Amino acid sequence: MSTPSRATVVKGAAWAIPTIALASAAPATAASPLPCPTVPGGSDWSLTYSGTLGPASTGAYSWNSTGTQWTVYRDNGSSSSTLTFTTTTTISNLIVERSYSMRIPISWGYGNGVASQSTGATARVIVDGTTVLSRATRSSTGLGTSPGGATYTATSFTATSTSMQLQYQVIISAKTSQANDDIIMSVPTFANCV
């Protein structure tokens, strides 16, 4: 009996995305909300990597056809150092001295669908060079101890210019098993634009 490919398993997976509330409620006297900035779709994000890529057969590291989800399924080709994928965009139309926070859906799964055949990975969100969210797979304080997903609120920030650089990063651990954990990061939405 043949085992389904990673792509088949991922296509059939229903990624549940519960919401984790990490931000406190806004005070009743908060300023009136302003229109939140628009986040570019995946075709307007650049893609780079550093490290050793595993074979192409282990999966892609790209935005989906609708430009809404960035998937990193590729395995590390090294058993001694990490492999880092980065996708970057610029968000414009921010208002200086206004506060913003982003909600980012992140999901993950075992590379081969089995914990014993896969090693971990970490998802990061970076704003203007500062890491505002960093969560590892297989961790109760990270992305969870077993596959699934959630929507995370990145640390609120106050705009210091009318644009910002936004980066998503996936750091793949040195490969000690047959595969590495898969991570899916969706385009963020802005909340609390006050």
Side-chain angles (χ1 to χ4, degrees):
M1 181 172 133
S2 66
T3 358
S5 70
R6 183 184 291 189
T8 303
V9 171
V10 169
K11 278 184 185 176
W15 295 98
I17 303 183
T19 297
I20 296 177
L22 298 178
S24 60
T29 57
S32 299
L34 296 169
C36 289
T38 302
V39 180
S43 61
D44 292 320
W45 295 58
S46 64
L47 289 167
T48 59
Y49 72 88
S50 63
T52 305
L53 291 174
S57 60
T58 65
Y61 53 99
S62 58
W63 284 90
N64 65 2
S65 60
T66 59
T68 57
Q69 289 183 325
W70 184 47
T71 56
V72 179
Y73 298 148
R74 182 63 67 89
D75 292 330
N76 195 339
S78 171
S79 59
S80 59
S81 59
T82 59
L83 169 63
T84 301
F85 295 99
T86 305
T87 187
T88 306
T89 194
T90 298
I91 297 176
S92 303
N93 301 321
L94 298 175
I95 298 173
V96 175
E97 297 185 8
R98 291 291 183 171
S99 296
Y100 297 92
S101 62
M102 290 179 293
R103 295 168 50 82
I104 303 144
I106 305 174
S107 300
W108 76 279
Y110 300 129
N112 280 343
V114 180
S116 62
Q117 295 180 6
S118 186
T119 52
T122 299
R124 285 191 183 151
V125 178
I126 302 165
V127 173
D128 288 334
T130 300
T131 300
V132 297
L133 185 73
S134 182
R135 295 192 173 253
T137 62
R138 303 167 185 255
S139 166
S140 58
T141 58
L143 295 175
T145 56
S146 58
T151 297
Y152 300 93
T153 300
T155 303
S156 295
F157 63 95
T158 300
T160 57
S161 71
T162 58
S163 65
M164 70 174 211
Q165 183 187 69
L166 174 63
Q167 292 181 309
Y168 283 177
Q169 241 179 26
V170 172
I171 297 103
I172 306 293
S173 300
K175 192 166 119 177
T176 57
S177 294
Q178 297 175 30
N180 291 101
D181 288 345
D182 299 330
I183 291 183
I184 300 172
M185 299 178 74
S186 296
V187 168
T189 55
F190 276 88
N192 305 327
C193 303
V194 296

